[in-house]
Amino acid sequence: MPCYRCGARQTDPVRGASPWRRGVRRETQVLVCPDCQRLHDLDLDTCAGCGSVALICRLGEVECRSCGAVRMAETPAPVDSGALLASGPPPGLSAEVEAALNRVLGRT
Ligand SMILES: [Zn+2]
Ligand SMILES: [Zn+2]
């Protein structure tokens, strides 16, 4: 996963902890490269409890690695096209279509 901000690729950490920082931005897990970590406009989500940006997002939950608080990730409601199709055409349309057909067929 590249840095979300500058797109830099993460190089394999030689030894020890990676200098890259994991965070959550708009409910999405992101990585921040060491260069971008120095910036102050990272626009990362913060923990509501302690204000930390050390969050991890997984399985629809966002967990704070500083205080351990877990909250549900706010995912936008998916558009359910199946329900849209199941509801069928708006009421009245079929009658209009039938009337138009009747006109065409000269049945009025
Ligand atoms: Zn970067
Ligand atoms: Zn926290």
Side-chain angles (χ1 to χ4, degrees):
M1 187 155 59
C3 171
Y4 87 88
R5 198 171 182 284
C6 70
R9 291 273 163 187
Q10 185 177 21
T11 51
D12 292 329
V14 182
R15 216 168 273 249
S18 167
W20 285 56
R21 179 190 284 176
R22 273 145 59 97
V24 173
R25 184 170 177 267
R26 292 173 195 164
E27 314 299 340
T28 308
Q29 184 79 60
V30 295
L31 273 176
V32 186
C33 75
D35 285 344
C36 290
Q37 284 174 34
R38 294 193 212 107
L39 304 169
H40 294 287
D41 60 342
L42 286 176
D43 195 22
L44 293 173
D45 289 0
T46 55
C47 172
C50 69
S52 169
V53 295
L55 306 177
I56 48 174
C57 183
R58 63 181 180 203
L59 298 175
E61 290 180 340
V62 177
E63 182 181 338
C64 175
R65 301 188 71 180
S66 294
C67 72
V70 178
R71 66 168 171 85
M72 298 300 291
E74 292 164 24
T75 46
V79 177
D80 194 350
S81 55
L84 211 65
L85 288 172
S87 65
L93 184 68
S94 54
E96 267 177 50
V97 170
E98 198 178 335
L101 274 174
N102 285 338
R103 274 197 300 277
V104 170
L105 299 172
R107 284 194 288 187
T108 42

